Amino acid sequence: MATNKTEEQQQQSQAGRHQEVGHKSLLQSDALYQYILETSVYPREPEPMKELREITAKHPWNLMTTSADEGQFLNMLLKLINAKNTMEIGVYTGYSLLATALALPDDGKIFAMDINRENYELGLPVIQKAGVAHKIDFKEGPAMPVLDELVQDEKNHGSFDFIFVDADKDNYLNYHKRLIELVKVGGLIGYDNTLWNGSVVAPPDAPLRKYVRYYRDFVLELNKALAVDPRIEICMLPVGDGITLCRRLK
Amino acid sequence: MATNKTEEQQQQSQAGRHQEVGHKSLLQSDALYQYILETSVYPREPEPMKELREITAKHPWNLMTTSADEGQFLNMLLKLINAKNTMEIGVYTGYSLLATALALPDDGKIFAMDINRENYELGLPVIQKAGVAHKIDFKEGPAMPVLDELVQDNHGSFDFIFVDADKDNYLNYHKRLIELVKVGGLIGYDNTLWNGSVVAPPDAPLRKYVRYYRDFVLELNKALAVDPRIEICMLPVGDGITLCRRLK
């Protein structure tokens, strides 16, 4: 009996692990989220993105990946704004990076940073096969020193059409101080995970994972700060784990 | 005792009516939706839009209005795509129309249609006060005959077309709009997640009109998903907007 229970628990646990790559959506039901994915996302997902998503699903840190609905949205957004020169902070296996690379024109450029090159190299073969790897300039290491260097040269001010930040939440506001100079006027910064699994409204006694609770304060602080920043217009979209789009005003 | 209960019920009913203009969101909780509204939407909502939203809240059909989060999104989207020439099918009191007019440049143009001019005129003073009414060309009446006429001559002349009207006609509109929107331009179909009812089990209690239009919404979503002339994106903003970018 005890053995059966353990097997059942293991099966359930594995079923949980192989679900839609760890994403609980922000929507009213899993059914509604699945509906969006199955009706409008998966049938339109480019082959390389499907392949990269499946590779990532097997990775132990797959909770970190960009979801398919978010990838589709980013891809469309970049085409709508005719983005050509972009930056990405936080790459992981490269799902949003690939979504971006597929959206940019052939001479488009993405400057991408992550502290972990290994994960990037997991997805790189798929990006190469898709014929868009030449658009990517990947740099391993923390982003802050690189941003500080970029900001020092006035030529880099306003040089990016779009900057996507999907990284360490306790540094978003620090990144923002630099990115607001680097993105062009009328350009877009996207901050990912700003609804933090819905935990932004969890009651004080709610059971939260340690890392969720830890970073939640930074997310709440970020959201407050962006809301009153007069240099940008904002829009919080409940796509993925929440993306806040910030359009630079001047 | 009976009187007290009735008063209480009346108070609760009124509290319900004066909630965020009838919108139950598509999100996991009302609290999360309120968080978005209070953190990022209301503090940034332009005065005219706030005023129009409050006027609309008192109207008996206020369920039809565009929500504040959706208005903010449309406004940003239009600026991002540098829209100049747009169309709107379904105006009601004009909340999304105002959001659009505020986003367009001074020489921008919006061709707006609704079967009901009275509701439009409820919001028009606010739009005029905001100094953007000159961008709007309003036409009362059903959209179909107007579209049929436009299609004879105006292909690819619109940057953005927003459809927030009779769901049983969306696919019929689509046949015309796909010619009228420019290549690379955007059509936005509103209410495509239909209050989440797209996934309601067969025995779920649904309002008559929700159940009736649901079939059309499901059909629309299927059709847009396989339309090779567009790229699509279903966004869970408001009651669900499907953005369709024309490919060629």
Side-chain angles (χ1 to χ4, degrees):
Chain A
M1 259 302 165
T3 314
N4 281 357
K5 258 203 178 151
T6 309
E7 279 176 10
E8 201 188 311
Q9 281 168 347
Q10 277 181 351
Q11 277 169 12
Q12 282 173 352
S13 166
Q14 276 178 345
R17 247 181 270 136
H18 291 300
Q19 251 176 354
E20 171 55 24
V21 200
H23 287 279
K24 254 187 69 130
S25 83
L26 296 169
L27 305 185
Q28 48 179 232
S29 67
D30 285 342
L32 186 60
Y33 185 49
Q34 284 306 314
Y35 174 82
I36 294 174
L37 291 173
E38 276 154 32
T39 311
S40 309
V41 180
Y42 293 153
R44 297 301 198 113
E45 194 184 24
E47 258 324 296
M49 283 172 72
K50 209 180 286 292
E51 199 182 331
L52 184 43
R53 185 163 53 80
E54 281 162 8
I55 288 171
T56 306
K58 302 190 184 98
H59 195 270
W61 304 344
N62 60 37
L63 269 175
M64 291 205 305
T65 192
T66 302
S67 58
D69 51 313
E70 198 179 341
Q72 184 185 53
F73 172 66
L74 285 175
N75 179 279
M76 178 180 276
L77 181 64
L78 288 158
K79 287 166 180 165
L80 289 173
I81 65 175
N82 292 311
K84 198 161 158 183
N85 198 32
T86 77
M87 184 195 297
E88 176 164 296
I89 301 175
V91 172
Y92 185 44
T93 57
Y95 191 80
S96 57
L97 184 58
L98 176 54
T100 303
L102 290 171
L104 265 44
D106 196 64
D107 58 345
K109 297 268 172 284
I110 311 160
F111 179 48
M113 292 175 275
D114 198 292
I115 52 174
N116 185 312
R117 180 182 277 281
E118 252 185 68
N119 292 336
Y120 168 63
E121 286 177 347
L122 199 71
L124 185 54
V126 177
I127 298 181
Q128 283 164 333
K129 198 165 55 166
V132 293
H134 64 282
K135 304 179 192 179
I136 300 167
D137 174 13
F138 179 86
K139 196 171 172 70
E140 187 185 25
M144 207 67 75
V146 182
L147 296 180
D148 279 335
E149 209 185 307
L150 280 174
V151 152
Q152 271 169 42
D153 188 346
E154 280 231 14
K155 269 191 284 155
N156 293 313
H157 287 207
S159 64
F160 292 91
D161 303 315
F162 178 78
I163 300 174
F164 189 54
V165 184
D166 187 11
D168 39 342
K169 317 301 161 207
D170 47 349
N171 260 324
Y172 276 28
L173 271 178
N174 296 325
Y175 292 144
H176 187 64
K177 290 190 178 79
R178 285 94 173 147
L179 300 179
I180 194 64
E181 307 290 346
L182 297 172
V183 74
K184 73 178 186 189
V185 171
L188 218 46
I189 304 171
Y191 289 106
D192 201 27
N193 303 105
T194 53
L195 291 173
W196 205 226
N197 205 228
S199 72
V200 287
V201 294
D205 57 346
L208 297 176
R209 284 174 138 168
K210 261 196 189 159
Y211 82 94
V212 172
R213 187 179 290 281
Y214 171 70
Y215 286 112
R216 182 174 61 157
D217 287 341
F218 294 101
V219 173
L220 290 169
E221 194 194 349
L222 171 77
N223 293 341
K224 282 203 197 115
L226 293 177
V228 300
D229 187 337
R231 300 164 299 181
I232 53 174
E233 273 176 356
I234 63 170
C235 183
M236 282 188 106
L237 287 176
V239 180
D241 194 26
I243 313 177
T244 300
L245 298 180
C246 307
R247 187 178 153 270
R248 182 176 175 186
L249 289 172
K250 56 183 176 80
Chain B
M1 261 301 165
T3 313
N4 281 356
K5 257 201 178 153
T6 307
E7 280 176 10
E8 203 188 311
Q9 282 170 347
Q10 277 181 354
Q11 278 169 9
Q12 282 175 348
S13 167
Q14 277 178 346
R17 247 180 270 136
H18 291 300
Q19 252 177 353
E20 170 55 24
V21 199
H23 287 280
K24 251 186 72 128
S25 81
L26 295 170
L27 305 185
Q28 48 178 233
S29 68
D30 286 340
L32 186 60
Y33 184 48
Q34 284 306 313
Y35 174 81
I36 293 174
L37 290 174
E38 277 154 31
T39 311
S40 309
V41 181
Y42 293 152
R44 296 301 198 114
E45 194 183 23
E47 258 324 298
M49 284 173 70
K50 210 182 283 293
E51 198 182 334
L52 184 44
R53 186 163 52 82
E54 281 161 8
I55 289 171
T56 306
K58 302 189 183 99
H59 195 269
W61 304 347
N62 60 38
L63 269 176
M64 291 207 302
T65 193
T66 302
S67 58
D69 51 314
E70 197 177 345
Q72 183 185 55
F73 172 66
L74 285 175
N75 180 278
M76 178 181 275
L77 181 64
L78 289 159
K79 288 166 181 165
L80 288 173
I81 65 174
N82 293 310
K84 197 160 160 185
N85 198 30
T86 77
M87 184 197 297
E88 177 164 295
I89 301 176
V91 171
Y92 185 44
T93 57
Y95 191 80
S96 56
L97 184 57
L98 176 54
T100 302
L102 290 171
L104 264 45
D106 196 64
D107 60 345
K109 297 268 172 283
I110 310 161
F111 179 48
M113 292 175 275
D114 198 291
I115 52 175
N116 185 312
R117 181 181 275 280
E118 251 186 69
N119 292 336
Y120 167 61
E121 285 176 347
L122 200 72
L124 185 54
V126 177
I127 299 182
Q128 283 164 335
K129 197 165 54 164
V132 292
H134 65 281
K135 303 179 194 178
I136 300 167
D137 174 12
F138 179 86
K139 195 173 174 67
E140 187 185 25
M144 207 67 76
V146 182
L147 295 180
D148 279 336
E149 208 186 306
L150 278 174
V151 145
Q152 279 170 36
D153 199 35
N154 298 284
H155 291 209
S157 60
F158 292 92
D159 302 315
F160 179 77
I161 300 174
F162 188 53
V163 184
D164 187 10
D166 40 339
K167 317 302 162 207
D168 48 349
N169 260 324
Y170 276 27
L171 272 178
N172 297 324
Y173 291 144
H174 188 63
K175 289 189 178 78
R176 285 93 175 149
L177 300 178
I178 194 65
E179 306 289 348
L180 296 173
V181 75
K182 72 177 187 190
V183 171
L186 217 45
I187 304 171
Y189 290 106
D190 200 26
N191 303 105
T192 53
L193 290 173
W194 206 223
N195 203 227
S197 73
V198 287
V199 294
D203 57 347
L206 296 177
R207 285 174 136 166
K208 261 196 188 161
Y209 84 93
V210 172
R211 188 179 289 282
Y212 171 71
Y213 286 112
R214 183 174 62 158
D215 287 342
F216 295 101
V217 172
L218 290 169
E219 193 195 349
L220 170 78
N221 294 341
K222 281 201 196 118
L224 294 177
V226 300
D227 188 338
R229 301 165 298 181
I230 53 174
E231 273 175 356
I232 63 171
C233 183
M234 282 188 106
L235 288 176
V237 181
D239 194 28
I241 315 177
T242 301
L243 298 178
C244 307
R245 186 176 154 273
R246 180 176 177 187
L247 289 172
K248 57 186 176 82

